[in-house]
Amino acid sequence: MASNTTNDTESLISTEVSVDRTHDQPASPETVVEATDIDVYYGDEQALDGIDIEIPERQVTAIIGPSGCGKSTFLRCVNRMNDQIDACRVSGELDFHDKNVYDDDVDPVALRRKIGMVFQKPNPFPKSIRDNVAYGLNVQGKTEGVDERVERALRGAALWDEVGDQLDSSGLDLSGGQQQRLCIARAIAPDPEVLLMDEPTSALDPVAASKVEDLIDELVEEYTVIIVTHNMQQAARISDKTAVFLTGGELVEFDDTATIFEDPADERVEDYITGKFG
Ligand SMILES: Nc1ncnc2c1ncn2[C@@H]1O[C@H](COP(=O)(O)OP(=O)(O)OP(=O)(O)O)[C@@H](O)[C@H]1O
């Protein structure tokens, strides 16, 4: 423990945040995404300061921290969604399988097929369920096996049983929780390796949020998941690793989730986890 508040902290943790991740993990997983000295500026304002992190394959990595500390900015660095923000400038190296995604020869659209993204608010297109899921495949010009891939993605997103007989209905007619799982199906249909999730349950009711959490637990068998969450209980429940960002855009600690919540090395992390600030 980093400070002399050990007993207070333990009692808070035991009542408020329980780490119950049971996902089987390989002893030494491969690194799939590696950031080295990533700085991000919006105009003159620095949002991230020298981020170094290695994200392991087929695990859930949670990014937590107070509002404005750069969590979403980091997530958007990974698949270059920040390219779409004019004022945003990124420096440093962000490797996906040892290839810097900021190299000139990287096509961001192709990158985003490999590194899909799910947002806070479900954002299905005003199209049928089938066309929502097939969207990425259509953009790629894929015509063969589309129906099979739509079914596989909907099954993967735990939605097939609910919508398999109404694929021509509008995605907008689904409930919020179903819409979010539809967006997850859309993200996994092109067969990505990494799923970036930016507070994917915060707009959902508790039952729908719980379904998405269960789904993440299944998705990680096939995909690497990086999830931004404000909900520390959720991070403790679903993640293998946790990265704690603090104000100033600094990554102050990154470790196994159990270590972050039960025995953090940095006093500021302990203060944040125990609700002393943020
Ligand atoms: N498009 C943008 N233009 C200018 N500044 C931005 C933009 N997006 C984020 N910022 C600034 O960058 C900093 C980090 O923002 P970011 O949204 O990444 O933080 P966050 O930790 O995800 O916040 P929250 O938890 O509130 O969503 C903040 O100061 C924010 O105001």
Side-chain angles (χ1 to χ4, degrees), residues 52-73:
D52 293 321
I53 192 169
E54 292 183 19
I55 308 277
E57 192 174 40
R58 292 187 196 178
Q59 293 196 10
V60 179
T61 294
I63 300 178
I64 63 172
S67 192
C69 67
K71 302 180 296 296
S72 299
T73 296

Side-chain angles (χ1 to χ4, degrees), residues 17-44:
V17 178
S18 83
V19 178
D20 62 357
R21 193 87 178 99
T22 53
H23 171 61
D24 287 336
Q25 296 167 38
S28 48
E30 300 252 324
T31 294
V32 63
V33 169
E34 179 172 2
T36 308
D37 202 18
I38 290 286
D39 288 341
V40 176
Y41 287 84
Y42 295 102
D44 294 334

Side-chain angles (χ1 to χ4, degrees), residues 242-245 251-255 259-260 263-267 269:
T242 297
V244 186
F245 284 53
L251 169 54
V252 292
E253 194 164 344
F254 175 55
D255 211 325
T259 303
I260 293 290
D263 191 16
D266 191 299
E267 192 169 353
V269 171

